[in-house]
Each structure stands twice: as structure tokens, then as C-alpha cells.
Amino acid sequence: MKKFTYLMALLFVVLFFSCGENSDVFKGDVREVEEEVETIINSNYPLSDQMNNGKWVLNTDVSDEFKTSVLNEDKWQIQGKNDIYKSNFIGRAPSQFSVNNAIVEDDKLKILTKWEPDFNFHPTRTQTVNGVTYKYENITTAAVISKKQFTYGYMEIKCRAADAQITSAFWALGARSSEMDMFEMFGGHKTNADWRKRLKFNIISWNPDNFYYLPNGKGPVYTSNIQVEENTADDFHVYGFDWTSEYINIYIDGVLHPEGTILKSTLTNNGANPEKWVTDVPYWIWFDSETFPWLGIPEELDLPKPAEYQIEYIRVWQKN
């Protein structure tokens, strides 16, 4: 904060002597300078904690600015590369992950969704949703996964959702334990304006011994629709997630969302129902796009060119 004060003082002196008695010009210039100063962001710290009161230290193993010509595969696994599929997940039918749909371009990670009926889709696997069976066909997407895990921290992503009826997701998965969906966006929903302005936040148990194990139909552990002011596919925004052993806070462009606090004490009824808090495990980060049949599936006319889920950076800080 002191450097901002010194800068403003210096600019005040310069503008005063350059403008003389023309106070109107002077006031206008000062306003412009103030606006510029306010836009200065220290990228070393979370947008919501620019003074670093949290004593954050960047975890470089799971952070990336994507300013390279190709994806850094020392940090990131492209789902399906060398026929390796973490969790045996090839995509949500009818879409399937393609290694060609995760690219770095224009200093951004881009997860592409394509209408690609000639792709080598899995010939036999299917998925059943709400009584309807879908085979893998026509649509390719992609997934990128961190090679290192971490436990607790402040996750910040600057991104723009794809403008199509597919998800733009940022989530985390533990080994046979649980999943935390920081967001599933559906920025190109054809008819539902709420979905175009929504971050779907979920906590899911994948532990069969947990009462809320999702396949039993008793999960998810927690789900919430975080509504934002603008369509997520219209522009880039900064989404922050402060994940601790006692709470999770969700920030939009540096501001805590009014409905973005998940307390362990509340979720577990002050410890009476501990099986509802399942996030105290190491996680891998995932970026992906999927088709959600219950929210609409793109048709050929919806994808005249690839839809792009664009990620400008991912930064993960942890306590010093």
C-alpha cells in the first residue's frame, strides 16, 4: 500500500506543476491516474489478498502461466496420452477426450470441443443417464490433469468458459476418496440464462464405505449453484477457492461471494455427521470439458468451429 501512496504523491506533484491553474484538467488527469493505479495487481498473491495477510507461498508444481509454445508435460497429463486414462475416464458420452484438443495457444491453455464424427471413438463403451444410453460419438473434448497432488491452499484461475452446450470445469480428485468441483460452467446453454451465469460447486464422496457414496444415490455430499453477474463465456474472470480443513471460501474477481462459504461445522452439524466432510485428502487438479446430456448436447450446427474453454493461468498458493 505504501508504494501506491508514494506513487500517487509523485504523480500529484507532476500533474500540479504541469497543469498550473487549470484545475479542471488537473482533476481529470488525477482521476485517470487513480483509475490506472487501482488496476495494479500483484500477481504474486491472490487477488482477494493483495497484502498477503495469509502468508501465501506459490506451489509451482501445480501452478502455470501457460506462456510456452506447448503444454508442460512435466506438470500436466493430457488424458489419453499414450493411452493412459486416469480413473479410466475417457469422457462423458457422447463426447470423448482427444489428446489433440488440449493445446497452448496465445499464452493460454485451451480445452477444445469439436464436432468430429470421424474420430476413433470407443466402439463398445456406453453411459446411461436418466434411463437413456449414450454411445461415444460425434463430439471430442479434452482433459488436463496435474501430475502432482497437494492438500489445502488457495486456488486461483483466470478463465473464460466455452460458448457451447458443454462444461468448462475446474475440479480436483483424490485417489479413491473424494472429488471437489470448484466449478462446472455451462457458458453456452441455449435456453437457460441462469446456467450461463453459474458456477456449479460440488463435493462428492467416492469412498464406498462412506454413507454419502455417490453411486448409492445418497450423494453428493454438498452441491450449490454459485450465481454470478455475467455470462461466464462472455469474458475472462478470476475465480478463487480458499480450501482449508475447516472451510472453503469462493471468490469472484477477488470478492468473497455472498453464498460462497462452506463451513465444516455447518455441513457436519458440528461434528454429528462427520461423513459429510470428505475433502481432507491430497488432490490432483483437473481441467476438462464434458457433455452433460441432462443439460443439452451440442449438434453439428452448434460447433461450426471448435468451442474453446480458455485458461489464462492457474496459481495455487499454500501457507508459509
Side-chain angles (χ1 to χ4, degrees):
M1 184 63 71
K2 287 183 178 179
K3 66 180 180 181
F4 292 160
T5 304
Y6 297 151
L7 177 60
M8 285 300 297
L10 177 60
L11 290 169
F12 182 91
V13 172
V14 171
L15 288 170
F16 178 81
F17 285 105
S18 64
C19 296
E21 297 179 354
N22 193 337
S23 60
D24 289 338
V25 173
F26 170 71
K27 290 177 182 177
D29 289 343
V30 167
R31 281 193 294 270
E32 291 179 6
V33 170
E34 287 176 340
E35 290 174 358
E36 290 181 6
V37 170
E38 287 176 358
T39 64
I40 296 174
I41 296 172
N42 189 340
S43 61
N44 293 315
Y45 308 123
L47 186 59
S48 64
D49 187 9
Q50 287 287 278
M51 300 304 295
N52 197 26
N53 293 318
K55 307 298 182 186
W56 301 107
V57 176
L58 189 70
N59 182 339
T60 57
D61 287 337
V62 286
S63 300
D64 206 325
E65 303 294 315
F66 302 115
K67 295 187 182 300
T68 52
S69 58
V70 295
L71 188 65
N72 182 350
E73 293 188 47
D74 291 332
K75 287 187 179 184
W76 306 103
Q77 171 189 337
I78 301 175
Q79 188 76 322
K81 187 74 173 286
N82 300 320
D83 208 31
I84 297 172
Y85 289 90
K86 186 178 287 292
S87 302
N88 197 30
F89 183 36
I90 67 171
R92 191 183 302 275
S95 65
Q96 183 170 324
F97 296 140
S98 167
V99 298
N100 298 321
N101 288 19
I103 64 172
V104 173
E105 184 180 66
D106 304 325
D107 294 337
K108 299 174 185 68
L109 170 62
K110 296 183 179 181
I111 305 293
L112 307 180
T113 299
K114 302 177 184 177
W115 185 266
E116 199 171 6
D118 294 332
F119 182 77
N120 185 25
F121 290 95
H122 197 286
T124 59
R125 285 180 65 172
T126 61
Q127 286 186 336
T128 300
V129 178
N130 296 330
V132 180
T133 299
Y134 298 89
K135 64 179 182 179
Y136 289 88
E137 60 181 355
N138 296 327
I139 302 166
T140 57
T141 56
V144 171
I145 311 161
S146 66
K147 290 191 172 179
K148 295 288 183 70
Q149 292 180 298
F150 68 103
T151 307
Y152 308 134
Y154 194 109
M155 299 171 282
E156 185 175 280
I157 175 175
K158 185 175 182 180
C159 68
R160 180 177 185 171
D163 190 8
Q165 287 204 128
I166 45 92
T167 63
S168 299
F170 172 45
W171 51 294
L173 188 65
R176 298 180 181 177
S177 59
S178 67
E179 172 184 332
M180 180 163 61
D181 302 325
M182 279 71 77
F183 60 67
E184 294 169 333
M185 300 175 179
F186 218 69
H189 199 287
K190 287 183 178 180
T191 58
N192 192 323
D194 285 343
W195 258 109
R196 293 194 291 268
K197 299 179 180 182
R198 176 173 295 170
L199 282 65
K200 184 70 171 177
F201 179 91
N202 302 304
I203 300 174
I204 298 169
S205 172
W206 294 116
N207 179 359
D209 296 326
N210 188 301
F211 178 82
Y212 296 98
Y213 178 52
L214 182 60
N216 285 343
K218 298 173 183 175
V221 171
Y222 179 86
T223 187
S224 178
N225 294 326
I226 304 298
Q227 295 296 142
V228 296
E229 294 182 357
E230 301 175 9
N231 292 350
T232 57
D234 284 355
D235 205 349
F236 285 87
H237 291 278
V238 177
Y239 305 99
F241 304 85
D242 186 3
W243 164 40
T244 77
S245 61
E246 299 299 323
Y247 64 84
I248 298 163
N249 281 339
I250 301 172
Y251 296 83
I252 311 297
D253 292 326
V255 178
L256 180 64
H257 192 278
E259 299 175 0
T261 295
I262 301 95
L263 297 174
K264 178 180 181 180
S265 58
T266 301
L267 192 59
T268 64
N269 191 21
N270 291 318
N273 197 358
E275 288 185 307
K276 277 200 165 187
W277 192 257
V278 297
T279 59
D280 295 333
V281 295
Y283 279 140
W284 291 283
I285 284 176
W286 287 63
F287 307 105
D288 77 359
S289 286
E290 304 172 27
T291 44
F292 278 7
W294 58 95
L295 290 175
I297 299 173
E299 300 173 352
E300 183 174 5
L301 291 177
D302 299 323
L303 296 169
K305 61 180 181 179
E308 299 183 351
Y309 166 30
Q310 300 184 34
I311 301 148
E312 188 168 312
Y313 66 75
I314 170 63
R315 299 169 186 157
V316 176
W317 293 274
Q318 295 181 281
K319 296 290 186 180
N320 189 356

